């Protein structure tokens, strides 16, 4: 009988927690003895004959052929762990190559045996549908995990029955009730607010009370340590986690994969990467695509390198400058435009990898089959399927979103220095081809009589009739797939110097919704009060199909803003919280972020680089802020300034025929007046 793998772990072998096909029935743990080797290649084995003899005697090392993407290597299979590999690495010092050292053993077991988590069989991996019958329980804890030592107020929702239980009282009482409800519901998946922060406290509380550990089916947990790390130019933070055996525990606040894709997105990520859903929910899209490539390599019998040794070759500055120019962008003229079509290439970079056969081993020989094109092609086809299906089936939206992020990051990983299957020359070849495609598309559009307004990497904005014919020609001549969105009107915002911003725009789509990028309503650090105001203004503008109708909305939009300014002094401080991701813990100069870090320390709440903190500005001039749980009063002029910026982004749609305009706020008694004028002149 086919089994549906819910969870996996390695402890002196591989443990699989399985349900019947389709995720039905009870969960059964199946143990498999498993002790895989890592692979070692020595460029001069005779020089290290004593080492080889010791490995053969102590670790059952045996000669073998190691398959890599560049070709076969003669080496040894060594039945030992990573610590042994690192000891060998230090002893040999130079030239040794290691493979499959840091591949997760449960993932490797699944790949070698043709098994996948959250799927019926290997063939189901690339199906856009994920049928399952999992029991889901959601726990919403109202206490703040950064300050509370125990859970005293929570809601537990059984999604199958729809029943909600409210738990309140002392920590020991709520914890005992949580365990009772878990036993009664016997969930396969637990959705929990701030789960990774709460688990440490819940487990410690269970130990003090002498009761069963929460949520785990075996009494054991796997651990993940906390860490701060750089990703795409910014500091990120991952909290420590306790992962229960046999159940999926998802942190609904911290899991990017869950926020973007929901439960179906997590299951799809697990199915593709060969990882437990517990890990898939906690990893970034970059780690997921790297894990997917690792799973595919092991499944195909290709060894996964431990350390990259294909360093970038030395090149002349002129050659480097010609090769490494990044993506193409055309700067727009700021203003408002009627009847604009956006041409968006679907998964442009991974499609280029597939079509151009770009992989580290094919850079000098495009005729040989490439590893990256072979493993990315099914993902590209799956993404096209989910984009098509989600138009009429909203259940596919989460899956499509996760596929989008995985495919976006697969390009970045080709240039990442530690990527298992990356190489900077591949990265440069991809961006080079993308520049050619965008220029080619621009030339096709202009030859067909279109006016090109803007372009950025994989999108082009044009005006003109016959967009369907343009799209067909672009698809045919580039070999890529495109989608088109029509704007009834579109606003490109200006930079401070008056030139057009590349990534700050908004406009009304033909379905009546407003698409926004780069403005206050879209930014993560915007206080909710200001986000809500700007959204309300944009909603009022969404009723206008033409620019002429839009002009008629000015008074209504202005009224909304004036009301918000008038009501600002009485606003709830919780609606004025600013959320920022801090990159460090100490600052050379006084600033708002530094004051916020100090406020957290003052409250006894530990912070780490990459963490998000939330605060209210009480006095901007003196850099005084309050944490989210202290917020009482706030600096009205400071927040009025943020409102001014949000209003300026919207008002530009009504004044963009003139010089770049902003607003000036003047208080007259209880009335806040709005005046138009140049920002630089205020």
């Amino acid at each position: 009988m086919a089994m549906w793998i819910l969870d996996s772990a390695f402890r002196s072998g591989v443990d699989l927690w399985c349900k019947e096909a389709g995720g039905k029935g009870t969960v059964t743990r199946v143990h498999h003895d498993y002790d895989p080797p890592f692979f070692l290649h020595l460029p001069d084995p005779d020089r290290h004959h004593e080492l080889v003899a010791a490995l053969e005697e102590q670790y059952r090392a045996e000669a073998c052929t190691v398959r890599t993407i560049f070709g076969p290597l003669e080496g040894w299979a060594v039945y030992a762990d990573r610590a042994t590999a690192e000891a060998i690495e230090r002893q040999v010092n130079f030239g040794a190559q290691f493979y499959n050292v840091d591949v997760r053993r449960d993932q490797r077991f699944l790949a070698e045996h043709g098994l996948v988590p959250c799927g019926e069989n290997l063939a189901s991996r690339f199906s856009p549908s994920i049928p399952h019958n999992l029991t889901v329980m959601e726990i919403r804890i109202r206490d703040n995990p950064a300050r509370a030592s125990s859970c005293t107020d929570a809601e537990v929702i059984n999604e199958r029955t729809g029943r909600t239980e409210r738990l309140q009282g002392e920590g020991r009482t709520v914890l005992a009730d949580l365990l009772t409800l878990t036993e009664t519901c016997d969930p396969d998946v637990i959705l929990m607010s701030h789960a990774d922060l709460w688990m440490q406290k819940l487990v410690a509380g269970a130990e003090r009370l002498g009761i069963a550990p929460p949520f785990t089916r075996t009494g054991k947990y796997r651990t993940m340590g906390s860490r701060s790390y750089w990703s795409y130019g910014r500091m990120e933070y991952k909290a420590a986690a306790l992962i229960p055996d046999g159940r999926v525990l998802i942190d609904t606040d911290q899991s990017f994969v869950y926020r973007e894709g929901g439960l179906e997105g997590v299951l799809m990520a697990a199915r593709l990467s060969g990882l437990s859903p517990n890990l898939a929910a906690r990893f970034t899209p970059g780690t997921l695509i790297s894990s997917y490539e690792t799973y595919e390599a092991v499944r195909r019998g290709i060894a996964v390198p431990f350390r990259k040794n294909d360093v970038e070759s030395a090149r002349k500055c002129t050659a480097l400058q010609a090769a490494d120019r990044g993506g193409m962008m055309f700067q727009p003229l700021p203003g408002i435009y009627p009847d604009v079509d956006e041409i968006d290439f679907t998964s442009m970079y991974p499609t280029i990898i597939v079509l151009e056969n770009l992989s580290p081993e094919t850079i000098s020989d495009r005729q040989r089959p490439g590893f990256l094109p072979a493993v990315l092609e099914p993902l590209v086809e799956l993404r096209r399927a989910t984009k098509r299906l989600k138009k009429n089936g909203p259940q596919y939206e989460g899956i499509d979103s996760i596929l989008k992020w995985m495919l976006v990051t697969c390009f970045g990983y080709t240039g990442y220095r530690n990527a298992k299957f990356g190489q900077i020359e591949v990265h440069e070849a991809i961006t080079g081809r993308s520049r050619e495609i965008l220029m080619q598309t621009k030339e096709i559009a202009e030859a067909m009589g279109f006016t090109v307004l803007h372009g950025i990497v994989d999108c082009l904005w044009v005006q003109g009739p016959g967009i369907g014919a343009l799209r067909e020609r672009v698809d045919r001549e580039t070999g890529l797939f495109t989608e088109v969105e029509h704007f009834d009107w579109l606003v490109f915002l200006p930079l401070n110097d008056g030139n057009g911003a590349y990534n700050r725009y908004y406009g009304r789509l033909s379905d009546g919704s407003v698409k926004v990028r780069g403005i206050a309503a879209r930014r993560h650090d915007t206080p909710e009060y200001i986000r809500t105001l700007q959204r309300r203004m944009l909603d009022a503008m969404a009723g206008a199909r033409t620019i002429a109708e839009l002009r008629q909305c000015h008074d209504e939009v202005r009224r909304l803003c004036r009301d918000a300014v008038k009501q600002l002094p009485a606003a709830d401080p919780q609606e004025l919280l600013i959320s920022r991701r801090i990159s460090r813990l100490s600052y050379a100069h006084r600033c708002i972020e530094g004051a916020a870090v100090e406020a957290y320390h003052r409250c006894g709440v530990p912070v780490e680089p990459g963490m998000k903190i939330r605060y209210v500005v009480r006095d901007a001039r003196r850099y005084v802020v309050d944490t989210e749980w202290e917020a009482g009063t706030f600096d009205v002029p400071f927040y009025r300034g943020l409102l001014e910026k949000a209003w300026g982004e919207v008002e530009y749609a009504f004044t963009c025929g003139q010089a770049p305009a902003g607003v000036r706020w003047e208080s007259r008694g209880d009335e806040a007046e709005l005046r138009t004028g140049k920002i630089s002149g205020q």
Side-chain angles (χ1 to χ4, degrees):
M1 179 184 296
M3 300 299 287
W4 207 89
I5 300 171
L6 178 69
D7 193 16
S8 64
F10 181 84
R11 291 192 188 95
S12 301
V14 172
D15 287 330
L16 302 179
W17 284 268
C18 306
K19 295 172 72 72
E20 296 177 15
K24 301 176 181 178
T26 59
V27 174
T28 304
R29 184 173 72 94
V30 181
H31 179 80
H32 299 270
D33 292 331
Y34 186 60
D35 182 23
F38 66 79
F39 300 113
L40 168 66
H41 168 74
L42 297 169
D44 187 1
D46 293 337
R47 181 181 177 185
H48 303 287
H49 64 277
E50 292 182 353
L51 171 64
V52 172
L55 293 176
E56 290 174 340
E57 179 180 351
Q58 296 182 39
Y59 300 107
R60 298 180 291 132
E62 51 192 27
C64 67
T65 299
V66 183
R67 285 187 60 209
T68 76
I69 61 172
F70 296 100
L73 295 173
E74 296 307 313
W76 284 265
V78 183
Y79 291 85
D81 57 12
R82 175 173 178 158
T84 303
E86 291 174 337
I88 298 171
E89 192 176 36
R90 290 191 297 270
Q91 181 174 340
V92 174
N93 194 30
F94 179 77
Q97 297 178 35
F98 298 83
Y99 297 88
N100 288 13
V101 172
D102 54 349
V103 177
R104 293 179 180 275
R105 295 192 174 189
D106 52 334
Q107 180 195 34
R108 183 174 173 181
F109 176 86
L110 294 175
E112 290 177 349
H113 290 81
L115 301 172
V116 293
C118 312
E120 305 295 341
N121 48 48
L122 195 61
S124 69
R125 289 180 73 211
F126 301 106
S127 169
S129 299
I130 307 182
H132 66 82
N133 194 32
L134 300 177
T135 303
V136 180
M137 185 173 81
E138 183 174 2
I139 303 173
R140 300 174 183 172
I141 300 180
R142 299 175 182 272
D143 303 287
N144 190 312
R147 307 192 75 198
S149 59
S150 60
C151 172
T152 62
D153 190 353
E155 283 185 348
V156 180
I157 305 168
N158 185 328
E159 293 197 358
R160 178 164 294 176
T161 64
R163 184 176 179 181
T164 300
E165 297 277 355
R166 182 75 179 271
L167 307 180
Q168 290 179 300
E170 294 184 356
R172 63 177 63 194
T173 303
V174 173
L175 177 56
D177 290 344
L178 270 178
L179 293 177
T180 300
L181 288 175
T182 302
E183 292 177 1
T184 302
C185 178
D186 191 21
D188 303 310
V189 178
I190 298 176
L191 308 176
M192 183 175 172
S193 55
H194 294 292
D196 290 342
L197 293 177
W198 274 115
M199 279 301 294
Q200 307 280 348
K201 298 179 180 182
L202 295 180
V203 171
E207 290 178 352
R208 287 195 301 270
L209 296 174
I211 59 179
F215 309 142
T216 175
R217 281 188 158 119
T218 65
K220 297 180 180 179
Y221 301 91
R222 287 103 72 192
T223 61
M224 292 179 64
S226 62
R227 66 187 182 99
S228 300
Y229 60 96
W230 282 99
S231 177
Y232 288 92
R234 71 176 187 179
M235 183 65 73
E236 301 277 359
Y237 176 75
K238 185 183 294 293
L242 289 176
I243 301 173
D245 281 353
R247 282 197 176 99
V248 179
L249 176 64
I250 298 176
D251 188 323
T252 56
D253 293 283
Q254 300 301 315
S255 172
F256 174 85
V257 176
Y258 180 78
R259 289 199 310 270
E260 288 289 317
L263 179 57
E264 281 68 26
V266 172
L267 299 180
M268 175 59 77
R271 178 191 287 182
L272 292 172
S273 65
L275 300 171
S276 159
N278 279 305
L279 297 182
R282 287 167 173 80
F283 285 161
T284 64
T287 303
L288 291 176
I289 193 66
S290 178
S291 298
Y292 166 75
E293 293 172 1
T294 295
Y295 179 96
E296 281 295 309
V298 174
R299 187 179 71 83
R300 296 162 186 254
I302 297 173
V304 181
F306 179 40
R307 316 271 194 205
K308 285 185 62 177
N309 59 2
D310 52 337
V311 296
E312 183 178 1
S313 58
R315 288 180 285 177
K316 293 182 178 180
C317 288
T318 53
L320 183 61
Q321 186 178 27
D324 192 10
R325 290 187 292 157
M328 175 70 73
M329 292 186 288
F330 308 130
Q331 189 168 28
L333 291 174
I336 185 168
Y337 298 87
D339 293 319
V340 178
D341 290 294
E342 177 185 340
I343 303 174
D344 184 6
F345 287 94
T346 300
S347 302
M348 178 190 234
Y349 283 168
T351 303
I352 289 174
I353 293 173
V354 173
L355 293 180
E356 301 294 324
N357 191 30
L358 294 173
S359 194
E361 75 277 21
T362 65
I363 283 295
S364 58
D365 181 8
R366 297 288 182 86
Q367 300 304 311
R368 65 183 295 183
F371 171 74
L372 286 182
V375 301
L376 290 179
E377 185 173 12
L379 278 192
V380 172
E381 294 295 333
L382 180 57
R383 173 84 204 287
R384 290 174 185 163
T386 57
K387 285 202 76 168
R388 182 175 64 254
L389 290 168
K390 75 175 183 178
K391 294 178 181 179
N392 298 313
Q395 68 270 25
Y396 295 102
E397 289 184 4
I399 295 173
D400 180 71
S401 179
I402 295 306
L403 291 172
K404 177 192 76 172
W405 284 108
M406 289 178 66
L407 288 169
V408 164
T409 53
C410 81
F411 157 72
Y413 260 57
T414 61
Y416 177 44
R417 63 180 180 178
N418 293 324
K420 303 296 186 182
F421 301 103
Q423 195 175 69
I424 192 63
E425 289 82 0
V426 176
H427 191 275
E428 293 167 352
I430 296 168
T431 55
R433 180 59 183 137
S434 76
R435 293 193 298 270
E436 294 173 358
I437 290 172
L438 201 64
M439 284 299 300
Q440 180 185 4
T441 304
K442 174 181 177 292
E443 292 167 359
I444 292 172
E446 291 175 338
M448 294 179 67
F450 286 84
T451 300
V452 175
L453 303 177
H454 182 28
I456 180 167
V457 183
D458 60 352
C459 294
L460 202 69
W461 288 263
V462 301
Q463 281 181 316
I467 189 64
L470 173 60
R471 177 187 177 186
E472 290 178 5
R473 182 174 171 184
V474 169
D475 288 1
R476 183 175 64 253
E477 295 190 18
T478 65
L480 277 69
F481 289 82
T482 59
E483 285 196 327
V484 173
E485 285 186 312
H486 180 77
F487 290 88
D488 295 325
W489 49 264
L490 178 63
V491 177
F492 291 121
L493 292 169
L495 296 168
N496 290 335
D497 61 7
N499 293 311
Y502 289 104
N503 57 355
R504 295 177 61 234
Y505 61 88
Y506 57 89
R508 183 191 192 273
L509 294 171
S510 56
D511 64 2
S513 63
V514 176
K515 182 176 181 178
V516 303
R517 293 293 184 271
I519 65 175
R522 175 84 172 184
R523 292 194 293 269
H524 297 296
D525 60 348
T526 301
E528 191 59 36
Y529 188 87
I530 297 170
R531 188 194 318 279
T532 300
L533 165 64
Q534 196 175 68
R535 277 292 183 188
R536 291 179 64 194
M537 292 190 291
L538 293 171
D539 288 344
M541 297 163 68
R545 292 181 175 273
T546 65
I547 294 178
E549 292 178 5
L550 182 64
R551 304 296 189 195
Q552 298 173 12
C553 299
H554 190 198
D555 289 344
E556 171 63 15
V557 173
R558 187 184 181 94
R559 182 191 65 78
L560 291 171
C561 190
R562 181 180 286 116
D563 289 347
V565 174
K566 182 178 179 180
Q567 297 163 11
L568 176 62
D572 182 352
Q574 292 297 312
E575 292 187 336
L576 298 173
L577 289 171
I578 297 173
S579 177
R580 290 280 170 84
R581 189 183 302 275
I582 59 171
S583 60
R584 51 188 171 175
L585 301 181
S586 60
Y587 294 79
H589 304 284
R590 295 183 67 193
C591 61
I592 294 293
E593 286 76 17
V597 171
E598 292 177 1
Y600 266 69
H601 286 152
R602 186 174 63 247
C603 292
V605 178
V607 292
E608 297 291 342
M611 286 180 61
K612 278 188 177 181
I613 60 176
R614 302 208 304 166
Y615 57 88
V616 170
V617 177
R618 177 154 43 101
D619 188 334
R621 290 187 177 183
R622 294 191 299 144
Y623 303 108
V624 178
V625 304
D626 293 323
T627 60
E628 57 182 301
W629 44 83
E630 295 176 306
T633 60
F634 53 88
D635 190 328
V636 174
F638 172 80
Y639 284 98
R640 191 175 290 154
L642 298 183
L643 277 172
E644 172 186 340
K645 293 180 181 179
W647 161 251
E649 292 172 335
V650 172
E651 192 201 25
Y652 184 74
F654 304 105
T655 62
C656 55
Q658 308 164 16
V663 293
R664 176 176 63 196
W665 308 97
E666 293 182 352
S667 293
R668 296 182 178 178
D670 294 332
E671 293 287 328
E673 291 294 324
L674 201 60
R675 296 185 174 235
T676 301
K678 291 184 179 180
I679 294 174
S680 58
Q682 298 307 312

